[in-house]
Structures are given as C-alpha cells and as structure tokens.
Amino acid sequence: MRYGYWMPVFGGWLRNVPDEGMAASWDYAKRLAQRSERLGYDLTLIAELNLNDIKGVEQPALDAWSTAAALAAVTETIELMVAVRPNFHHPALFAKAAANIDRIAGGRLALNVVSSWWADEARQYGLQFDQHDDRYARTEEWLRVVDGLWSEERFSFEGRFYRTEEAICAPKPVKRPTVYAGGESDKAKAMIVAQCDAYVMHGDPVEAIAPKIAEMADRRAAAGGAPMQYGMAAYAIVRDSEAEAQRELARITDVTDLPAGYANFDQWLSGTQLERELKIQEYSVSNRGLRPNLVGTPEQVRERIEEYEAAGLGLLLLQMSPQAEEMERFAAQVMGTA
C-alpha cells in the first residue's frame, strides 16, 4: 500500500470543530510536507477550491497551484498530486506552468483532474460552469490539449471548447505526470479509462470498493490499456484501545447546530441515501472519509487496510486531525516507518 495524505489547505477536515490546530497557511503546509517525507509518506494531495468548503466560505483556503510550486522547491521525494479543474485553467497555459512545476520538483508532479461540482464558486469567479456530461466532454478535450503539448514539439487542436495552433511547450515535464481522476457516472468512467492512469474514489467499505475496482479493471482491459492504479480517500483514527478510538469518533461527529462548514450540506444530501441523522454525522468529515472505518487499534486498522489491498487498492489518501500529530502516530503504529 502507498500512503498519501490530503494537505490541509482548508485548515482541517472537521466541519464541526472550528480550530483543529492546523492553520491554512504556507508555514504549516511546508512543515507538514517536509516532515511527511521523513515519516515515509509517498504522496500529498493538494485540493483545488478557491472557497473553503470545510470551515465555511468566509474562511481562508490556500491556492493549490502556487502552494504546489512552492512545495516542489522545498521537498525532495514526495509525489505532489495537485487537483486541477479544467474550467478554471486554459489547457495550453496550464501545460506550460505545470511542466515548469514538474521541473522544479524533479519529476514528482501528478494531476488529480476534477470535473467541477460547485456552481456557486464558478459564478463568484465569473467562470464557465458546465452541466454534467459537458463537464466530462470539456475534460476530455482539456486532457488532449495538455497531453499534446507535453508530448509534441508543436501541437494544433480544434475542438468544441479549445483550440491551439502550432503551440510550443518547452521545457516539457521531466516525465509525463500521472493523471488521477474520479467519478461514478458512465461518462466519467469512460473518460478515465481512455485518458487517465489512476482511478480515485471517495471512501467506502471494502465490499463497495472491490466491485468498483473490478469494473474499472475490466473496462481498461477491454480498451487495451495498461493496468490502472486505484486509490481511496479515508479518515483515520488510531488509538491504543478501541474504546479510545470510538470516543474520538464520537467527538468528531458530534454536531448540534450546523456550523458554517455545512453550507453545502443540502447539495450533498441530495446525492446520498443515508438516514438524515447519519448524514449529518458523516458530513462532519469530507469525502466520505468515515465509511472505510479506519478507526481502532493499530492492529484493527492494519487488518482493514489489508482487506483493501486484497481488493486491489494501492493508495490511501488519508485525512486526520490534527494532521501533523496524527500522521506521526499513524506512521509509527500502522505504517511502521516512524
């Protein structure tokens, strides 16, 4: 298993805890990334939202790509998996900037291509927001332009959304960055199988993840592509006893009055079938992170991770709170690297 973690660009992951002791600041991000390399983590995922979806839109959120460029210069080994939303970046200009960041990082850049979901954010920033199928049609074109500029000396393209004419991108990346993407619609899966290297999923129990991996592996094989990588988001709580872990779980899911971070709750609610009270508790952590149930003693958490490995999962994208302290504990007691 490869172990990655979400960079806390929003100042944490708990919607019901205003201050988690990890500020949305460059200083915290730099120290966390440098320490994570020494602890043996493989990857950090840097989310891209201009508004803070965790603590409330009025709270600060770090910009993904300027943060990634800065981290590229002060780290040595960790893979920088940076989210990118095609409707927020012209592909030719993006290809040029991202190639430069990859050069700074010595070939450690990876993309997490996200077809945008937050219409209010796009409206605030005056950007195009496409309906579902159009989002993936845009992403398909966007990736073709980026790949073309990274692989050809001059690249021309004429599409529905984008065009280039004998465009040059130099220097190119050290190597083609790995492209990760997620999505559960047929349109999303078809795009990922055709154009991406890895499929990333929100958190779910292993019995839900296993068939998703099997389906995508079958789709990829039928398309004649190389085997894909598979990753999943998860929130981890590791304690010396199960009772301690459950007390911490109760603390982070205790929601009375809905705080500012619940502003998008109704939008999320429409896409899930859980009972309302369970939904409120689950929404306290982002990306369905509690569903994998990586909660318990080191032995219990390792056993659950082994089940995911047996199902074909190769990457965990972990959230913890507070991130630095809990990553130390997880590395020492679960990964065995600290």
Side-chain angles (χ1 to χ4, degrees):
M1 183 67 71
R2 298 174 69 218
Y3 290 98
Y5 65 94
W6 294 67
M7 181 62 66
V9 295
F10 308 119
W13 304 113
L14 304 178
R15 290 186 168 97
N16 67 334
V17 179
D19 184 0
E20 299 176 61
M22 45 177 170
S25 69
W26 161 243
D27 180 66
Y28 189 90
K30 178 179 69 172
R31 288 187 288 110
L32 185 67
Q34 291 174 333
R35 180 59 180 158
S36 71
E37 289 188 320
R38 295 192 290 272
L39 291 173
Y41 286 89
D42 299 289
L43 176 153
T44 184
L45 167 55
I46 306 171
E48 182 183 54
L49 285 176
N50 295 308
L51 303 178
N52 194 322
D53 182 44
I54 303 296
K55 302 300 182 184
V57 296
E58 303 293 337
Q59 299 304 309
L62 295 182
D63 171 71
W65 282 92
S66 55
T67 299
L71 288 174
V74 299
T75 56
E76 297 179 355
T77 60
I78 198 159
E79 182 178 337
L80 301 171
M81 176 183 173
V82 193
V84 56
R85 294 175 296 170
N87 61 319
F88 278 49
H89 300 268
H90 188 282
L93 298 176
F94 172 85
K96 176 72 174 177
N100 196 50
I101 294 173
D102 185 67
R103 287 276 171 175
I104 296 168
R108 292 182 286 120
L109 182 67
L111 308 185
N112 176 28
V113 180
V114 180
S115 296
S116 298
W117 60 270
W118 199 351
D120 286 348
E121 183 198 30
R123 176 185 53 78
Q124 283 194 26
Y125 281 78
L127 293 163
Q128 174 67 33
F129 187 80
D130 303 312
Q131 296 306 308
H132 184 274
D133 283 0
D134 280 349
R135 294 205 294 272
Y136 287 103
R138 178 184 294 276
T139 299
E140 288 172 357
E141 277 194 18
W142 190 92
L143 281 170
R144 287 175 64 189
V145 174
V146 171
D147 271 333
L149 282 161
W150 282 347
S151 60
E152 298 183 22
E153 293 306 311
R154 288 181 176 268
F155 181 70
S156 296
F157 180 82
E158 184 76 43
R160 177 182 166 195
F161 301 99
Y162 304 110
R163 68 181 299 272
T164 63
E165 185 176 338
E166 295 290 304
I168 299 169
C169 179
K172 298 189 184 302
V174 175
K175 58 179 180 58
R176 179 185 177 275
T178 300
V179 178
Y180 299 80
E184 299 187 1
S185 69
D186 282 340
K187 189 74 173 175
K189 291 175 180 176
M191 183 274 294
I192 293 165
V193 163
Q195 295 179 273
C196 301
D197 308 298
Y199 184 56
V200 288
M201 297 162 278
H202 289 314
D204 260 322
V206 69
E207 56 268 23
I209 292 295
K212 291 180 182 181
I213 292 175
E215 179 194 355
M216 291 299 284
D218 287 346
R219 284 175 177 251
R220 184 72 158 201
M228 298 181 73
Q229 304 174 48
Y230 299 96
M232 180 188 71
Y235 188 94
I237 299 172
V238 180
R239 294 294 185 270
D240 292 335
S241 71
E242 187 173 2
E244 289 178 89
Q246 289 301 316
R247 283 196 293 271
E248 174 65 3
L249 178 62
R251 180 186 76 85
I252 70 170
T253 56
D254 180 25
V255 180
T256 50
D257 298 327
L258 296 187
Y262 275 69
N264 286 319
F265 177 64
D266 288 337
Q267 182 175 335
W268 177 82
L269 193 66
S270 65
T272 180
Q273 301 300 316
L274 296 175
E275 295 295 332
R276 180 175 176 82
E277 187 62 30
L278 289 177
K279 292 171 187 174
I280 290 173
Q281 293 175 355
E282 183 179 52
Y283 196 71
S284 65
V285 170
S286 69
N287 302 100
R288 303 201 304 240
L290 295 176
R291 292 190 190 183
N293 194 29
L294 298 188
V295 178
T297 66
E299 294 77 18
Q300 289 173 322
V301 172
R302 280 197 298 268
E303 286 176 6
R304 288 175 194 139
I305 291 172
E306 288 170 1
E307 293 173 356
Y308 283 103
E309 282 186 304
L313 194 75
L315 171 66
L316 280 172
L317 298 165
L318 298 168
Q319 295 175 348
M320 307 174 198
S321 181
Q323 193 85 18
E325 291 84 344
E326 292 298 322
M327 280 174 55
E328 294 265 0
R329 186 200 305 264
F330 191 92
Q333 297 186 345
V334 178
M335 294 163 54
T337 55

